[in-house]
Amino acid sequence: MQPQLGLRIALFGPPGAGKGTQARLLCTRFGMLHISTGNILRRAIKEQTPIGLEARAYIHQGNLVPDELVRDLAEEAMRVSAFEDFVLDGYPRTCQQAEWLTGFLNRRERPLSAIVYLMLSDEEVVTRLSRRRVHKETGENFHLDYKPPPPEIQHLMLQRRDDQPAAIRHRLRVYEAETQPLVRYFSKAGLLHEVDALGSIETVHARVCALLQSLKGRLN
Ligand code: AP5
């Protein structure tokens, strides 16, 4: 039986900061539900659903998908969790999304517990994304240097289209313009917790766990 944290958190940070990697580790360790809007959208593209067809060009070019489309996906996933013990990864990332999310959860008396801000320089972002490879079936993220895929699954590795150099640069600009302003919004709400995302995957995981344990003590 996994320990329950009783927390509703969002991992926040630039592309490649390690949100997906850390979310997976938290979910394995604490049985939380991993809600990645990026993964949900990529699955929709693969399955050629109407949402996938609409989102495709935005994602491949490194632009944000329209708010209304992503909101429905996030809402559906949070309902599955019954609004307990979930980790949002990549949501919210615009002011409109942040306001909607806050109101939606507050009305259910299940407010967000924390925004965990994984802080990383642009230089390290580029290093991480340009050498990332993704398992085409499970969606797990690997890195050619930092987390090399085992030889027996190397043929299942793909490079994301938005991990090409031009798309990475564009995603960083979109992050600066549309997502970074949320730091102020969540800071004012008293929800923002900064975590240094530089260091090994295990080191960053330990920092995030220490933060969550301290929040659990304070909030539950
Ligand atoms: P999404 O998939 O969410 O992309 P992202 O936010 O750009 O983040 P990434 O998945 O690129 O990086 P990550 O922070 O998860 O890092 P990772 O753990 O993989 O979104 C993709 C697209 O979908 C968006 O551009 C947009 O179009 C659309 N979208 C999604 N959500 C949306 C929303 N809310 N609104 C509108 N549009 C939306 O790590 C990166 C690499 O580094 C990996 O190789 C990993 O192995 C390695 N790594 C991780 N941690 C470490 C470490 N500590 N040390 C060394 N290497 C590490």
Side-chain angles (χ1 to χ4, degrees), residues 14-21 37-38 41-42 58-59 63-65 70 90-91 93 97 128-129 132 141-143 146 160 162 171 197 199-201 204:
K19 302 181 294 294
T21 302
T37 41
L41 287 164
R42 279 185 290 277
Y58 293 100
I59 295 199
N63 288 315
L64 294 184
V65 173
V70 193
Y91 194 92
R93 57 213 281 173
Q97 291 178 15
R128 287 190 186 179
L129 291 184
R132 170 165 65 184
N141 294 321
F142 291 86
H143 190 280
Y146 302 140
R160 274 170 49 174
D162 59 352
R171 284 160 67 199
S200 71
I201 291 173
V204 178

Side-chain angles (χ1 to χ4, degrees), residues 19-155:
K19 302 181 294 294
T21 302
Q22 293 302 325
R24 270 180 180 261
L25 290 172
L26 289 176
C27 295
T28 306
R29 183 159 177 174
F30 298 113
M32 301 173 87
L33 181 71
H34 180 188
I35 303 176
S36 159
T37 41
N39 285 350
I40 297 171
L41 287 164
R42 279 185 290 277
R43 206 176 310 128
I45 292 176
K46 200 170 159 192
E47 291 167 2
Q48 301 195 339
T49 66
I51 288 179
L53 293 174
E54 201 177 332
R56 192 185 154 97
Y58 293 100
I59 295 199
H60 288 167
Q61 286 161 19
N63 288 315
L64 294 184
V65 173
D67 282 339
E68 318 76 60
L69 218 121
V70 193
R71 180 178 60 213
D72 290 347
L73 301 175
E75 178 175 342
E76 195 184 320
M78 285 186 288
R79 282 190 194 284
V80 170
S81 77
F83 307 106
E84 288 301 346
D85 277 313
F86 61 75
V87 183
L88 284 165
D89 156 13
Y91 194 92
R93 57 213 281 173
T94 64
C95 289
Q96 202 187 336
Q97 291 178 15
E99 281 164 9
W100 174 81
L101 178 68
T102 312
F104 177 76
L105 290 175
N106 286 350
R107 282 194 297 281
R108 273 153 195 80
E109 298 182 355
R110 294 284 186 278
L112 263 184
S113 313
I115 301 284
V116 179
Y117 179 14
L118 297 176
M119 298 174 72
L120 200 67
S121 68
D122 287 3
E123 198 187 347
E124 184 63 17
V125 161
V126 174
T127 307
R128 287 190 186 179
L129 291 184
S130 52
R131 305 273 290 162
R132 170 165 65 184
R133 296 296 181 270
V134 183
H135 191 296
K136 73 174 179 188
E137 283 160 13
T138 66
E140 184 171 358
N141 294 321
F142 291 86
H143 190 280
L144 294 178
D145 309 307
Y146 302 140
K147 186 189 168 189
E152 64 276 15
I153 58 165
Q154 251 163 25
H155 62 290

Side-chain angles (χ1 to χ4, degrees), residues 159-188:
Q159 185 168 27
R160 274 170 49 174
R161 276 171 78 151
D162 59 352
D163 280 347
Q164 298 298 327
I168 295 174
R169 283 195 299 276
H170 184 66
R171 284 160 67 199
L172 276 168
R173 284 197 295 272
V174 171
Y175 173 77
E176 283 296 323
E178 306 205 37
T179 308
Q180 174 75 22
L182 296 192
V183 168
R184 205 160 152 200
Y185 176 88
F186 284 117
S187 182
K188 268 170 108 175

